[in-house]
Each structure stands twice: as structure tokens, then as C-alpha cells.
Amino acid sequence: MSDLATVSAEIAPYLALAANSLGTSVITAAQQRIAERTVTAGEGFFRRLVRRGDGAGGGLGGATQPLLDAERADVLDELLAGLTDEERQLLSAAVAAWLRGPADRRDAPHLLDHVGRLASSAGGRTVYNTPTATGQGSIAAVEIHGDIHMGGSDRTRDSS
């Protein structure tokens, strides 16, 4: 679920911006497309928001709000496209719950709170990897949460 957390943190400010400036119906439609996997890179939701924002495709937001321009929209759409079906369903459910809440709670932190609660209740899964490395001082790892202790001999080696 780490991809869901990362993607949610990236898209939350822009969903909040769109919900508050363009209306919740725009986000409701996006929430349904996210769940159905019809939001994919190339024809994505955020790219459509840019065009919808000012009619000229220049961007949405700015000043004290995050700026959503064409380049950022493409990045966000690619992040959405990379989510698994399970992650998309959780994100969709979180967005729906967020939209049902009071208007004064339609901001990025509250959306992330919904995502976090749904993801934790869905239960995580443990993936086991067996990285292998050889040679003095070698280490192979995918993602490390915690401390690393490397063993080795007590004697030091001088390469000179």
C-alpha cells in the first residue's frame, strides 16, 4: 500500500483544489473513473482539469494554491495509472467518503486521513524478498524499514 500512500499524498492537494473551485461533481465523476480504471496516463483526469480550469489549458490554481499545469497533470495521471486495482478501489472509496463530509473538511489532509483509515482497515500484506549479495561488505536490499547490521570479520583489511 505504499504506492497508494505516495500517490494520495501527491494528488490530494489537487483534488481539494478541484473540489473547491470547480465543484464536487467533477471529483465525483473522477472518483468513479478511478475505480473503473478508465483514468489512465495519456487521457487522464488531471490533464482534463487543466483544460477545464481556464479554457486555454494554461493551468488551475496558483497564488496560495498548488498550481496544476499540463506538465504536473501528466505526472499525476501517470501516478494514478500505476496503482493496482485494489489501490484504485481504496482511493475511490476514500474520495467518495471525503466528498460526503462537510465542505469545510474538503482539504488535502482530510482526504489523506480517509485514505489512511481505509488502507489500514483493508489490511496490509507482507511481501517477502530474498536479496542475495556476495563479497566483503556487500548488501542487497529492496526497501529497508529499521536498522541494518552488517557482520564481518574482526580483523581489518589494509589494501596497501
Side-chain angles (χ1 to χ4, degrees), residues 35-120:
E36 297 165 359
R37 202 180 241 309
T38 55
V39 175
T40 58
E43 56 96 3
F45 166 71
F46 290 102
R47 182 54 96 119
R48 289 181 183 156
L49 277 183
V50 170
R51 287 195 303 267
R52 188 177 196 144
D54 66 0
L60 179 67
T64 60
Q65 300 174 333
L67 177 64
L68 180 63
D69 58 10
E71 184 178 323
R72 185 68 182 144
D74 289 341
V75 169
L76 296 173
D77 286 331
E78 286 177 26
L79 288 172
L80 278 177
L83 292 177
T84 66
D85 289 338
E86 180 185 5
E87 290 168 333
R88 283 174 171 271
Q89 292 297 325
L90 285 171
L91 178 58
S92 175
V95 170
W98 176 68
L99 289 174
R100 284 191 304 267
D104 65 338
R105 295 179 61 105
R106 284 196 200 112
D107 57 12
H110 286 103
L111 175 56
L112 292 175
D113 182 54
H114 283 285
V115 171
R117 281 188 282 139
L118 285 173
S120 66

